[in-house]
Amino acid sequence: METTVIIVGAGPSGLSTAACLSKASIPYKLLEREDCSASLWRKYAYDRLCLHLPKKSSELAFMEIPDPFPNYLTKKMFVEYIDSYISKFGIEPMFWRNVEGAELDRELKKWKVRVRVRNNNKNKSINGEEGEMEEYVGRYLVVATGETAEAYMPEVEGMEKFGGGVMHSKMYKSGKGYEGKKVLVVGSGNSGMEIAYDLVNHSAATSLLVRSPIHILTRRLINLQVFLGKYLPLGFLDSLMVFLSKMVFGDLTKYGMKRPNKGPIYMKRHHGKFPIIDAGTCNKIKSGEIQVISSEIAKVESKKNVIFKDGKMVSFDDIIFCTGFTSSANSWLKDDGSLLNDDGLSKVNQPNHWKGSNGLYCVGLSKRGLFGSKFEAQEVAKDIAAQLQCI
């Protein structure tokens, strides 16, 4: 099946790219391995999830989030916005298409993408038999599978012996059912902090493993940072944000949490580490309702005992790994032309981090969030349109 552009991934990045190509009247095929668009939001996000950034920073290309929505959208609201977006631009992803390989045909100067059809019998709009291989050919290929394509869980010695429940955060929905249980939350990113907060609000005895130094800000501080960023040098602004965070949250070291040596802006730009947007977790930690564990897990013994590297042993009923996600692009993309790092994210320097060689592009792989993917989708469409006009 041949087209002009092949887009892999129907999350927000792929949808923005599809809309931009549609506005430029450029034909495309949008391939998605799941049975729905934006599957992370629809299927793999906890119930209380709310956008951490204002809606102006979370919009997809060429469509504002409607005024009736609040400044910070809930998961349900953002999915409603996604559905309206798909309808407005007439986007029709091809679901259950799992990409197993993509490489450049150097003679044809086109990309060939090998796809396995999965569970098509559950979707009448899909032709072909389950397990059947398909091939798509396009002059251009856009990798839009995102930074959160695959759940990451670290290997822990003896985990198979654990007698309680073990899951990744992508499977967590709410604290309902955890009442009275001892739960260990591994990871102190935004998901880990919010899930710990949700658990303790459902009367779970919650412990939070904080392995690395973290910056903690509030929504108001983030908004202030964005505003002052137009006027102040970044180095000074970074120091100001650290100062204001200390004023708001106080000394967190006595609770087992440390701040990085570099400021939140530096950590985001150079290491892709977003600051924690506090939703009330810090107060729960200060009150003792959430116990912070700063030592890593050494191993798991039989029954429900977890042994930490500082020698302590604690019994838990459940362990929830909030250890993030990884990109899947490197597992199927060949001939990437040095566009992606070993971790499947863009390694090309800004502002052209979205552009590879031989018609290869990426959207949403630069650790710049929804706002970044919106910009990248627009740039990709403009670049392809300019090339097509020259042919």
Side-chain angles (χ1 to χ4, degrees):
M1 192 177 299
E2 189 159 350
T3 186
T4 303
V5 185
I6 301 170
I7 308 169
V8 182
S13 298
L15 296 174
S16 269
T17 305
C20 292
L21 292 173
S22 291
K23 285 184 68 68
S25 299
I26 299 173
Y28 68 87
K29 294 292 183 184
L30 176 56
L31 308 177
E32 169 57 47
R33 67 180 179 178
E34 296 278 357
D35 62 345
C36 62
S37 60
S39 61
L40 185 66
W41 291 88
R42 297 181 195 274
K43 299 168 64 175
Y44 304 122
Y46 46 92
D47 293 342
R48 76 178 311 276
L49 177 63
C50 188
L51 290 178
H52 293 119
L53 295 177
K55 60 185 181 182
K56 280 294 180 184
S57 299
S58 306
E59 294 171 343
L60 276 61
F62 299 117
M63 180 174 160
E64 295 183 350
I65 295 176
D67 288 336
F69 283 115
N71 202 28
Y72 295 91
L73 273 66
T74 64
K75 177 180 76 169
K76 181 180 178 182
M77 292 174 181
F78 188 67
V79 169
E80 289 177 10
Y81 167 69
I82 289 287
D83 287 337
S84 297
Y85 190 85
I86 291 171
S87 177
K88 176 179 178 178
F89 291 101
I91 302 171
E92 297 182 352
M94 301 185 71
F95 297 124
W96 292 120
R97 260 61 183 189
N98 187 51
V99 174
E100 295 192 353
E103 56 190 334
L104 179 68
D105 186 316
R106 297 188 178 277
E107 291 185 7
L108 295 177
K109 295 183 179 180
K110 293 182 179 181
W111 288 90
K112 291 185 176 181
V113 180
R114 299 186 305 280
V115 174
R116 187 175 299 278
V117 181
R118 298 172 53 243
N119 294 327
N120 60 284
N121 58 313
K122 296 182 181 180
N123 192 325
K124 295 180 181 179
S125 66
I126 294 178
N127 298 318
E129 297 298 327
E130 181 178 357
E132 177 186 348
M133 294 299 296
E134 298 177 338
E135 183 176 79
Y136 293 82
V137 180
R139 174 65 185 86
Y140 304 97
L141 174 63
V142 181
V143 181
T145 45
E147 303 165 11
T148 56
E150 302 291 345
Y152 170 73
M153 287 183 64
E155 293 185 7
V156 177
E157 181 183 346
M159 183 56 72
E160 70 280 357
K161 301 176 184 177
F162 186 68
V166 179
M167 71 166 64
H168 188 271
S169 60
K170 68 177 286 186
M171 304 309 298
Y172 177 89
K173 294 304 178 185
S174 79
K176 187 176 181 179
Y178 289 92
E179 295 87 350
K181 291 186 175 183
K182 295 183 66 176
V183 185
L184 173 64
V185 177
V186 180
S188 55
N190 277 299
S191 294
M193 297 288 272
E194 287 200 18
I195 287 175
Y197 179 77
D198 190 48
L199 285 165
V200 77
N201 282 342
H202 283 84
S203 301
T206 307
S207 296
L208 177 65
L209 197 159
V210 182
R211 299 173 296 171
S212 305
I214 53 176
H215 283 295
I216 303 179
L217 301 175
T218 64
R219 284 178 176 171
R220 293 183 66 181
L221 288 179
I222 288 291
N223 289 337
L224 179 64
Q225 175 185 300
V226 172
F227 175 75
L228 294 179
K230 304 172 185 176
Y231 309 102
L232 299 178
L234 293 184
F236 179 79
L237 181 57
D238 237 1
S239 298
L240 177 62
M241 287 299 106
V242 172
F243 172 77
L244 293 175
S245 175
K246 291 179 179 178
M247 293 290 291
V248 172
F249 297 107
D251 181 13
L252 297 176
T253 56
K254 57 186 175 182
Y255 301 102
M257 296 185 292
K258 298 179 180 179
R259 291 183 174 89
N261 294 326
K262 298 289 186 178
I265 302 174
Y266 180 94
M267 294 300 292
K268 178 177 178 292
R269 292 199 172 191
H270 293 273
H271 300 286
K273 294 186 177 180
F274 286 79
I276 304 303
I277 312 300
D278 182 59
T281 309
C282 279
N283 284 337
K284 296 293 184 181
I285 290 172
K286 290 179 178 180
S287 69
E289 295 173 82
I290 296 176
Q291 299 295 318
V292 173
I293 297 175
S294 55
S295 179
E296 293 189 30
I297 298 175
K299 62 180 179 179
V300 173
E301 286 195 336
S302 58
K303 297 183 180 180
K304 299 181 180 180
N305 296 327
V306 177
I307 299 177
F308 295 90
K309 290 187 176 180
D310 61 5
K312 293 181 180 178
M313 183 177 72
V314 185
S315 177
F316 295 100
D317 297 303
D318 293 270
I319 303 176
I320 301 173
F321 283 91
C322 302
T323 43
F325 298 81
T326 60
S327 167
S328 65
N330 280 340
S331 66
W332 52 265
L333 178 63
K334 312 300 179 186
D335 302 319
D336 75 342
S338 300
L339 176 62
L340 304 179
N341 280 317
D342 291 339
D343 58 6
L345 303 180
S346 173
K347 70 177 179 182
V348 179
N349 293 329
Q350 296 185 29
N352 294 322
H353 54 282
W354 45 268
K355 184 176 182 178
S357 57
N358 300 310
L360 178 65
Y361 301 89
C362 66
V363 176
L365 293 176
S366 61
K367 295 187 177 181
R368 300 176 70 221
L370 291 169
F371 183 81
S373 66
K374 168 186 172 180
F375 163 80
E376 291 156 12
Q378 292 172 320
E379 292 301 305
V380 167
K382 285 192 290 185
D383 195 70
I384 292 175
Q387 291 185 51
L388 292 175
Q389 289 175 1
C390 295
I391 295 177

